[in-house]
Amino acid sequence: DAGITQSPRHKVTETGTPVTLRCHQTENHRYMYWYRQDPGHGLRLIHYSYGVKDTDKGEVSDGYSVSRSKTEDFLLTLESATSSQTSVYFCATGTSENTGELFFGEGSRLTVL
Amino acid sequence: AQSVSQHNHHVILSEAASLELGCNYSYGGTVNLFWYVQYPGQHLQLLLKYFSGDPLVKGIKGFEAEFIKSKFSFNLRKPSVQWSDTAEYFCAVMGSSASKIIFGSGTRLSIRP
C-alpha cells in the first residue's frame, strides 16, 4: 500500500468550530482525493487535487475547502463544522498515469456535537 | 456527469454460495471501472479493475467482473464465497475526460458460516 497517513484519526468537536484534516503521502502521487463515507451513501467525493495548487470540487463540496501547497500534503478544512459533517473521511491518492486506481488512507472519524 | 448505482444494499449468503453484485454506471464516454472492498474496520482496497480489452476481468481472492458496455454494467461475481468475504463492496467509475472517481453507495455482504 502507498504510504498515506491521515491526522487526526479521531476528533470530536462542537458545532461552529473550524476543523482541519491532514492527508500526507510519501509516494509522490500526483492526484489526491477527499471522500466522506456515510451509511447508505457509500463514498462521496468532496474535493480532489490534480497537482500542487490545482484543486476541483467533487459531489459534496459545500462547507468544505481544501489546499495543496506541496505534493505530499492535502488539507481538508471545515470552516464552521455542522452536525451533518459528522462522518468518516478518507483520503486517497492516484498516480500520474491517472488510471483511476486509488490508494486509501486509514480514515479520520469526525464527530460534530 | 458520471454516476454509479449499486442496487443491492445488503446481501446475505451461506458459505459456498455463488455471488453476483450489481453495478450500473452512467457516463457518455469511455470509462475505467473498479471494484473496491472494505473489510470491517479497514480502509478500502482494490479488488479488480477494467481499463480496456477483455471485458471479463479477474481480481484477487477469486473475484471477477464482467463489463457489458451495452448495459452500462460491471457486475462482480464469485463462484463460491467464504466467510472471510464478509465486507462492504464498492463499485467505482472514472470517465475518460475527468480525474473524478465516483463511487456507488456500496453493498454489504454478510456470509453465514
Side-chain angles (χ1 to χ4, degrees):
Chain A
D1 286 346
I4 304 169
T5 54
Q6 295 183 225
S7 58
R9 294 290 313 282
H10 300 272
K11 185 172 182 66
V12 179
T13 191
E14 295 191 346
T15 298
T17 60
V19 176
T20 296
L21 305 181
R22 178 181 183 237
C23 179
H24 178 78
Q25 56 126 339
T26 59
E27 299 297 316
N28 200 34
H29 285 172
R30 177 183 173 186
Y31 295 88
M32 297 186 76
Y33 302 82
W34 276 108
Y35 290 90
R36 60 177 290 175
Q37 183 177 23
D38 304 287
H41 293 279
L43 274 80
R44 292 179 289 177
L45 180 64
I46 305 171
H47 282 280
Y48 66 102
S49 169
Y50 45 95
V52 174
K53 294 186 173 21
D54 292 323
T55 65
D56 204 352
K57 295 179 179 180
E59 305 167 276
V60 290
S61 59
D62 287 349
Y64 301 94
S65 62
V66 290
S67 66
R68 191 163 178 208
S69 59
K70 45 187 178 177
T71 299
E72 55 266 36
D73 290 326
F74 192 35
L75 304 180
L76 177 70
T77 297
L78 291 66
E79 299 291 347
S80 178
T82 67
S83 58
S84 65
Q85 293 175 311
T86 292
S87 186
V88 180
Y89 292 85
F90 284 97
C91 174
T93 67
T95 66
S96 299
E97 286 73 30
N98 195 24
T99 61
E101 181 176 350
L102 298 179
F103 303 86
F104 282 85
E106 299 291 332
S108 295
R109 182 175 295 276
L110 175 67
T111 302
V112 183
L113 301 176
Chain B
Q2 63 217 57
S3 65
V4 181
S5 296
Q6 292 182 246
H7 302 295
N8 310 109
H9 298 295
H10 188 194
V11 172
I12 303 173
L13 296 173
S14 298
E15 277 194 310
S18 63
L19 169 71
E20 181 161 3
L21 302 182
C23 172
N24 289 92
Y25 69 92
S26 173
Y27 186 74
T30 304
V31 293
N32 291 352
L33 295 160
F34 308 86
W35 277 98
Y36 284 84
V37 61
Q38 186 178 30
Y39 297 105
Q42 298 186 24
H43 61 88
L44 276 79
Q45 307 168 41
L46 182 67
L47 202 54
L48 50 78
K49 59 192 177 188
Y50 171 80
F51 294 162
S52 63
D54 189 344
L56 183 63
V57 293
K58 297 189 182 299
I60 60 172
K61 303 185 181 185
F63 286 90
E64 64 180 31
E66 184 175 14
F67 170 49
I68 303 179
K69 189 175 182 180
S70 61
K71 295 184 178 180
F72 297 91
S73 70
F74 189 56
N75 292 355
L76 180 71
R77 300 195 292 247
K78 186 172 184 178
S80 176
V81 295
Q82 301 172 311
W83 180 81
S84 59
D85 293 325
T86 296
E88 191 154 16
Y89 294 81
F90 295 92
C91 182
V93 61
M94 184 179 87
S96 59
S97 61
S99 303
K100 294 181 183 180
I101 295 102
I102 302 299
F103 285 77
S105 57
T107 298
R108 186 157 66 99
L109 177 63
S110 299
I111 306 296
R112 291 189 290 252

